[in-house]
Amino acid sequence: MRILFTLAHFFNPDGIGKYGAQRDDSTPRIQALTQNLTALHQLFGNSQYATDYANRVAISANQSLQTDIEIVICTTQGYHILDRLPLPSHLWTHHPTNAEPLLLGFECQALLRERLGGYDYYCFLEDDLILQDPWFFIKLNWFTQQAGDRNLLQPNRYEQSTHPGIGKTYIDGELHPKITASYQNVREHPQLTGMIMGQSVTFKRTCNPHSGCYFLNARQMEYWVQQPYFLDRDTRFVGPLESAATLGIMRTFKVYKPAPPMANFLEVQHFGRVWSDKIGQLVRWEGEG
């Protein structure tokens, strides 16, 4: 299986804004992107070994799950920290642009279209997301085999929580239905259920399909590119950053996420604790008085 990952990366130490790419301290951004890239190579790369102590050799491991991956990092106007990463630069390809920073996700879409026909999966991630599941694409393939290519499974995005007694917080809560009603009808096939390894898993249409990423198989990518609105740079969903990551797929597919009872069936970690800290101040935790 061949997988193309495109990452939108931007860092401006002089910027002022709500996003991590606009803070004055580059250390968290370096850590986030380093973990992102390291995880992709460790999960899906070909350098995986098991140790045979008796014969003092390292033997190849996980061959049945191995894939060929390519990672392309899209940047703009020279605002990046790629030269400061503690990783060898051959692990990725740099794709510089002159786009507006919050529209970098659309540059990734253009790149995915240019590479159409060469991969089994076409992927986009914001630079502070970290995959942890080596069976991630096996699960995606299972879902589309069960539900069909017009249905897209998005991962639940989480952070390690700082709230007392809470180890993990899923940060992309449901939005008011009217926010996405003009782009999707969540009442159409609102729930799917499947059995995997003897376990029942429920997937629900979501009023918040945003995960800061998407993972399309070749047939899904081809179908999206054929839509008249592909790469129209529409920014009406929340803001430019969110629209670049989510609006196109929301208009094209029925988007599902694993329901809360098994939210971790498909998930991705968001670096840091910014959103979980904010959520902790806004919501009442079940079980608390």
Side-chain angles (χ1 to χ4, degrees):
M1 180 167 60
R2 299 195 68 204
I3 305 174
L4 174 61
F5 295 98
T6 60
L7 277 59
H9 167 64
F10 173 80
F11 180 75
N12 180 5
D14 299 321
I16 299 175
K18 65 178 180 178
Y19 300 107
Q22 298 168 312
R23 308 288 165 78
D24 57 359
D25 183 5
S26 64
T27 301
R29 215 64 188 172
I30 293 172
Q31 293 174 339
L33 184 54
T34 298
Q35 291 186 34
N36 178 315
L37 295 168
T38 301
L40 293 180
H41 280 282
Q42 289 186 350
L43 290 173
F44 310 116
N46 293 319
S47 296
Q48 303 186 41
Y49 298 92
T51 304
D52 181 346
Y53 288 115
N55 295 298
R56 295 187 177 184
V57 296
I59 58 177
S60 296
N62 297 323
Q63 296 96 321
S64 61
L65 299 180
Q66 282 184 2
T67 57
D68 292 322
I69 68 172
E70 182 176 355
I71 302 173
V72 182
I73 303 178
C74 294
T75 68
T76 185
Q77 305 170 35
Y79 289 108
H80 63 78
I81 45 83
L82 298 184
D83 55 343
R84 299 168 63 183
L85 296 178
L87 296 171
S89 60
H90 72 266
L91 296 180
W92 67 84
T93 299
H94 183 197
H95 181 72
T97 76
N98 290 311
E100 289 298 318
L102 294 180
L103 300 181
L104 266 175
F106 292 117
E107 299 303 311
C108 291
Q109 289 180 22
L111 185 61
L112 292 173
R113 181 175 61 184
E114 290 175 11
R115 302 292 187 88
L116 196 61
Y119 303 87
D120 299 293
Y121 273 92
Y122 296 80
C123 313
F124 164 78
L125 297 95
E126 294 173 356
D127 61 356
D128 56 359
L129 298 182
I130 306 162
L131 292 180
Q132 306 279 11
D133 186 357
W135 283 53
F136 192 90
F137 289 96
I138 293 174
K139 293 175 180 178
L140 285 176
N141 185 55
W142 171 85
F143 179 84
T144 53
Q145 286 181 346
Q146 306 302 310
D149 291 327
R150 296 297 180 269
N151 299 298
L152 178 64
L153 184 60
Q154 282 282 81
N156 286 308
R157 195 167 55 150
Y158 73 90
E159 289 182 353
Q160 296 176 348
S161 178
T162 58
H163 187 79
I166 306 296
K168 176 190 290 187
T169 303
Y170 291 98
I171 62 176
D172 295 310
E174 286 295 292
L175 300 173
H176 193 284
K178 68 180 182 181
I179 294 177
T180 60
S182 59
Y183 308 113
Q184 62 173 359
N185 179 10
V186 297
R187 295 185 297 275
E188 183 179 3
H189 301 120
Q191 179 173 303
L192 299 174
T193 301
M195 292 291 297
I196 184 167
M197 300 178 73
Q199 177 68 51
S200 177
V201 186
T202 299
F203 309 94
K204 290 188 175 182
R205 295 291 301 277
T206 173
C207 291
N208 187 2
H210 184 65
S211 298
C213 56
Y214 51 78
F215 308 85
L216 308 180
N217 66 34
R219 296 178 300 276
Q220 291 171 323
M221 189 69 214
E222 290 171 359
Y223 181 72
W224 184 22
V225 166
Q226 294 169 4
Q227 305 312 306
Y229 48 78
F230 180 79
L231 207 57
D232 63 0
R233 291 176 168 80
D234 189 336
T235 61
R236 290 177 292 169
F237 174 61
V238 184
L241 190 72
E242 293 81 6
S243 294
T246 304
L247 183 53
I249 61 172
M250 175 169 47
R251 298 171 71 180
T252 306
F253 305 101
K254 295 182 180 69
V255 178
Y256 292 83
K257 288 184 179 180
M262 196 171 286
N264 64 359
F265 176 82
L266 197 77
E267 63 182 12
V268 60
Q269 182 183 356
H270 183 252
F271 180 85
R273 298 174 179 175
V274 173
W275 287 106
S276 56
D277 286 347
K278 291 180 180 179
I279 292 169
Q281 299 171 11
L282 294 174
V283 304
R284 178 180 61 82
W285 304 91
E286 286 188 359
E288 292 186 342

